Short mmCIF file of all heavy atoms in Angstrom, two decimals:
data_model
loop_
_atom_site.label_atom_id
_atom_site.label_comp_id
_atom_site.label_asym_id
_atom_site.label_seq_id
_atom_site.Cartn_x
_atom_site.Cartn_y
_atom_site.Cartn_z
N VAL B 24 26.91 -22.71 2.69
CA VAL B 24 26.32 -23.21 3.92
C VAL B 24 25.06 -22.40 4.24
O VAL B 24 25.03 -21.19 4.03
CB VAL B 24 27.35 -23.12 5.07
CG1 VAL B 24 27.88 -21.71 5.20
CG2 VAL B 24 26.76 -23.58 6.39
N LEU B 27 21.51 -19.00 9.21
CA LEU B 27 20.56 -19.19 10.30
C LEU B 27 19.66 -17.98 10.47
O LEU B 27 20.11 -16.83 10.39
CB LEU B 27 21.31 -19.42 11.61
CG LEU B 27 22.25 -20.61 11.63
CD1 LEU B 27 22.76 -20.84 13.05
CD2 LEU B 27 21.56 -21.84 11.10
N SER B 33 19.79 -11.13 14.30
CA SER B 33 20.66 -10.32 15.17
C SER B 33 21.45 -9.33 14.34
O SER B 33 21.68 -8.19 14.76
CB SER B 33 21.58 -11.22 15.99
OG SER B 33 22.77 -11.53 15.29
N GLY B 71 21.88 -14.58 -6.54
CA GLY B 71 21.39 -13.24 -6.27
C GLY B 71 21.14 -12.44 -7.53
O GLY B 71 20.36 -11.48 -7.53
N GLU B 102 -9.38 2.50 -18.85
CA GLU B 102 -10.75 2.72 -19.29
C GLU B 102 -11.57 3.48 -18.24
O GLU B 102 -12.16 4.51 -18.51
CB GLU B 102 -11.44 1.39 -19.62
CG GLU B 102 -10.83 0.67 -20.81
CD GLU B 102 -9.50 0.01 -20.48
OE1 GLU B 102 -9.34 -0.47 -19.34
OE2 GLU B 102 -8.59 0.02 -21.34
N LEU B 130 22.51 -5.20 -4.96
CA LEU B 130 22.38 -4.62 -3.63
C LEU B 130 23.42 -5.19 -2.68
O LEU B 130 24.00 -4.46 -1.86
CB LEU B 130 20.97 -4.86 -3.10
CG LEU B 130 19.87 -4.17 -3.92
CD1 LEU B 130 18.49 -4.62 -3.48
CD2 LEU B 130 20.01 -2.66 -3.79
N VAL B 144 20.99 -0.48 13.51
CA VAL B 144 21.98 -0.70 14.55
C VAL B 144 23.07 -1.59 14.01
O VAL B 144 22.79 -2.58 13.34
CB VAL B 144 21.33 -1.39 15.76
CG1 VAL B 144 20.43 -0.41 16.47
CG2 VAL B 144 20.57 -2.60 15.33
#
Side-chain angles (χ1 to χ4, degrees):
Chain B
V24 55
L27 301 188
S33 87
E102 294 75 34
L130 296 171
V144 288

